Amino acid sequence: ERAPLPSANAEAEAVQQCFAPHRRRAVVQRGGDAATLRELLERHRPRILHFIGHADAKHPLNKELTLGFTAPDGALIIMLPETVLELLTSLSAISFLELVVLNGCRSVAIADKVAVAGIPAIGWDTVVDDKPAAASAAPAAPSIGGASAAPPPPRPPPPAAAPPHPPQASQPA
């Protein structure tokens, strides 16, 4: 059993508001399970997935840390970490997800596995209080969503190619 996260709704709203002025849409899902996550990913095909919740719930079978989802009655739903990883890194999800943000305590283990699968991911290495976690999310949302006012820095020019063989002097015949 985990304590409710009183700042979760405010965090979701703040992230939504950050994207709105840039004509970007943020879909908010409160609660759910593996089927809900799968359906949302398939229907909306988001560039960014921002998870707000407990990420240090231990699964009863393998005792590994995993994400905690909320059932309609408020109970904690704990998925196997492999199920979470499979949903976030399926061939379909890899084709549209550009970033996964796991804003929950000790979420870095899952974030690292998502990153190894090819999707950049952010997670917490530590336990984090609800209010600071929520406060850290909204200011970063426009930048990670591509809505930053500043253009990206220019890429350096490619290195000049060296000739395959050094030039040779011609000798008189």
Side-chain angles (χ1 to χ4, degrees), residues 52-151:
I52 302 166
H54 294 292
D56 59 350
K58 287 188 180 178
H59 194 278
L61 294 179
N62 61 14
K63 307 298 182 205
E64 288 184 44
L65 298 181
T66 188
L67 304 183
F69 291 78
T70 307
D73 65 359
L76 189 64
I77 298 173
I78 302 173
M79 286 186 251
L80 282 166
E82 294 80 18
T83 302
V84 174
L85 190 61
E86 180 183 308
L87 288 168
L88 298 180
T89 62
S90 68
L91 288 177
S92 173
I94 285 177
S95 72
F96 54 81
L97 276 175
E98 296 175 16
L99 178 66
V100 172
V101 178
L102 301 176
N103 200 8
C105 295
R106 299 170 55 196
S107 55
V108 73
I110 294 174
D112 284 348
K113 290 176 183 175
V114 170
V116 166
I119 303 169
I122 299 169
W124 287 91
D125 192 34
T126 62
V127 171
V128 61
D129 189 58
D130 182 44
K131 285 185 180 181
S136 72
S143 296
I144 62 177
S148 174

Side-chain angles (χ1 to χ4, degrees), residues 25-39:
R25 182 174 55 110
V27 176
V28 175
Q29 171 66 40
R30 288 173 176 82
D33 56 14
T36 304
L37 179 57
R38 179 180 288 113
E39 192 270 328

